[in-house]
Amino acid sequence: MHFGPHLLLAALEGLVTSAVLALTALGLSLVFGVMRIVNVAHGEFFMLGAVLAWAISTAISGHPAVGFVAALVIAPLLVGLVAFLAEWLVLRRLNYNPEGTIVATIGMLYIIQQLALTFYGPEARPVEPPLNYRILLPWFGYSGYKLSVIAASAVLLVITWLVLTRTKIGLIMRATQYDRETAQAFGIPVERVYAGVFAIGAMLAAIAAVLIVPISQAHYLMGQDPLLLSFIVVIIGGLGSLRGTVVAAILIGLSDGIVSVFFSPTLAKIIATLVVAMVLVFRPQGLFGTAAR
Amino acid sequence: MKDASPAKIYALHIGVIALLFALNFVLPDYHQGLFARIMALAVFAMGYNLLFGYVGLLSLGHAMFFSAGLYGAGLAVYQLGWGVPEAFVAGVACGALLALVIGLLALRTSGVAFMIVTMMFAQVFYLLILYFAAWTGGDQGLVIQQPSRIIAIGGASLDLTNPTVRYMSALALFSVVLLITLVLVRSRFGRVLVAIRENEERTKMLGYDTVANKLVAVVASGAICAASGAAYALLFGYIGSSFASVQYSILPLLWVLLGGAATILGPLIGTLFMYYVTDITSGFTSAYLLIVGVALILLVLFFPKGVLGSVRQRWLGWLP
């Protein structure tokens, strides 16, 4: 293959990564923005979504699409429930103290990972894609499913943006983010908002995982990379900024896709991580964010 | 804080060291080996505690300092054929140098950003070990053979693979670090560190250079953790990339939280307790991470001060 088509292929692969990454990182960013806590277990909610998707789609017989759609609806709801319980039982009692929540979410990370290993096992298992046609480009055929992942992610991002900016729920969330105490004084049930945001954040990660699982298989350790990449995206995009998160996800996903086609993936990760650490050191508000209040 | 005579404090800690010395002759073989490991790793926890407990800086990247010592010493022996003492010094120097660089960068941030930055630098360090697998052995790791783990002093030779020599070497390192940290936190410098933890702005206003003090603390903490890593490589003869993974950044946090942050003996108690809990439970379940996870959550919920922290609060106000 020549350089041009090769680059196009790398870019398409990168866009699929970006699409999934944007959803996952958006969940992390939402939780950080509204609740001011860092959720280290975010990657495990992603993994849980993928593992549940496998369980649901194998339990339902018939056309693969039926099982997949069921997984796309049920898995995020279950993950949201788990996150809601975790928030209610643990984080609320810690009063959202930043260091305490980090330690507690590290604990959740281990618990979820170990339970997945015990009940799901160490194997990587595939989920059948709901649609199976290839789009023929002049140079190579490309999976139609991958393109629909990009589309689905874009739609979900727009919906989230509309909810945040155009609805009452979004207004309440933004008010809580802006000033927790004033919001409470105006009668906003801050605790319920927090529980909801934590659940929605986890659900976004789970949706992303269900979308990616027909492409890359479900595995109990699959939460590690998305966690680190989401951190990277959220930091580059500016903590708590939705637009920055999406732009950064596209940037990171594309460069990750392109760099790892042409160079060693380990080297790509080293460079990306180092660059982001330096961004955080020298420009803590992120590349697109505004200075912290 | 109630004041106690220094004599009482030193007596307590020397008593603990004497107890550990006596245990060598009492413990069965298996537990003797386990205790040597625990003492070497308790040094790691003490290094972590210096920064987390006394300065209040929560790092999620201390595995890089531990593995800087591990690889600094291990590779010096394995690849360069150095002797054990030189390799140990090389390991500690690697850790201190790395801590200086990381400290200069990471201390520009604070709070949540500090945790994420340290975690990312540690991740880079971990990936570098994998990337240079030809030299470091990657995730397979390297085994340091017995002949290169013998110290020759004059005519006599010390074989670090001998259980008693291993136990005593671990104890020696543990005792030295225990006494160093004890003197350190009771010194003027130690008081400044605690003042920074309690209120950095006020400490700055009182005329202390808080950044310089924090940097010294990071380097001291990194060097102690590297000493633990170097000792681990030389005593147990295995170096591998898993020691640089995120998990090894989180374990010292767990040990310190369990034993009691900002207590001198807390790290030992935390390491001892966690090691035996995983050792006993691994007999009937492989789900040892589950126990770590549950322990972390229960600790932050119900015992945020840890074992010795609670003891100090209730009964022994003078405990350093």
Side-chain angles (χ1 to χ4, degrees), chain B residues 132-184:
Chain B
F132 292 104
W135 229 64
T136 61
D139 50 2
Q140 297 284 316
L142 300 169
V143 173
I144 302 166
Q145 297 299 336
Q146 188 202 5
S148 40
R149 283 158 60 198
I150 295 175
I151 313 173
I153 309 166
S157 70
L158 277 175
D159 182 357
L160 291 184
T161 53
N162 173 303
T164 303
V165 174
R166 185 150 69 185
Y167 188 94
M168 287 305 164
S169 314
L171 177 62
L173 176 70
F174 172 80
S175 314
V176 168
V177 172
L178 184 80
L179 295 176
I180 287 178
T181 42
L182 183 59
V183 171
L184 211 60

Side-chain angles (χ1 to χ4, degrees), chain A residues 266-280:
Chain A
T266 314
L267 189 63
K269 261 192 237 166
I270 291 175
I271 295 169
T273 315
L274 206 55
V275 166
V276 170
M278 291 302 174
V279 167
L280 200 53

Side-chain angles (χ1 to χ4, degrees), chain A residues 32 36 38 40 89-90 93-94 98-100 102-108 110-115 118 224 227-228 231-232 235 239 264 266-267 269-270 273-274 276-278 280-282 284, chain B residues 52 56-58 60 104-106 108-109 111-117 119-121 123-124 127-128 130-131 246-248 250-251 253 257 286-290 292-294 296-297 300-302:
Chain A
F32 183 84
R36 301 273 145 197
V38 175
V40 184
L89 289 174
V90 180
R93 285 159 198 259
L94 290 172
E99 283 165 11
I102 288 211
V103 176
T105 50
I106 290 172
M108 290 176 200
Y110 283 149
I111 293 173
I112 298 175
Q113 209 174 76
Q114 189 67 55
L115 289 178
T118 309
Q224 304 285 327
L227 176 69
L228 200 73
F231 267 137
I232 294 178
I235 289 161
L239 292 161
S264 130
T266 314
L267 189 63
K269 261 192 237 166
I270 291 175
T273 315
L274 206 55
V276 170
M278 291 302 174
L280 200 53
V281 168
F282 292 104
Chain B
F52 170 64
L57 284 170
L58 201 164
L60 289 178
L104 281 172
L105 290 168
R108 296 173 60 104
T109 64
V112 171
F114 183 80
M115 303 173 205
I116 299 178
V117 165
M119 189 170 89
M120 289 193 154
F121 282 127
Q123 185 70 12
V124 169
L127 291 171
L128 281 173
L130 294 183
Y131 189 70
V246 185
Q247 203 186 328
Y248 269 81
I250 290 166
L251 282 176
L253 171 67
L257 276 176
S286 58
Y288 112 88
L289 279 181
L290 190 69
V292 174
V294 172
L296 278 171
I297 292 180
V300 286
L301 275 180
F302 302 109

